[in-house]
Amino acid sequence: MAEWRSIIERAAGSSKVIPWSSGSAKTWAYVSRIDGKWFVAQFDRATGDLVTAFVPNNGQISAMLRLMGQ
């Protein structure tokens, strides 16, 4: 659990932040590269609570990078 928390904290420090959603929750997605892999941590826009954290699939990361203009 400590390692997972550390990865989420690292992702939360990313400057790559985009509006996203998880189900019906509107979130800010913090997109980062950690140990050579893409990682996303999503936080609720209203409360700042962690909603989800995951390694995005190719379709997700492509859409996120497009949204960032990359």
Side-chain angles (χ1 to χ4, degrees), residues 14-70:
S14 176
S15 61
K16 295 180 173 126
V17 183
I18 56 170
W20 206 253
S21 63
S22 178
S24 63
K26 293 182 186 242
T27 66
W28 293 113
Y30 289 73
V31 182
S32 60
R33 298 266 304 164
I34 297 177
D35 299 330
K37 295 180 185 173
W38 288 108
F39 190 81
V40 176
Q42 288 180 252
F43 296 88
D44 187 279
R45 290 188 210 173
T47 66
D49 292 339
L50 178 67
V51 174
T52 188
F54 59 98
V55 174
N57 65 37
N58 288 338
Q60 291 167 319
I61 194 61
S62 293
M64 290 173 173
L65 291 174
R66 271 195 311 276
L67 197 59
M68 288 186 278
Q70 297 183 4

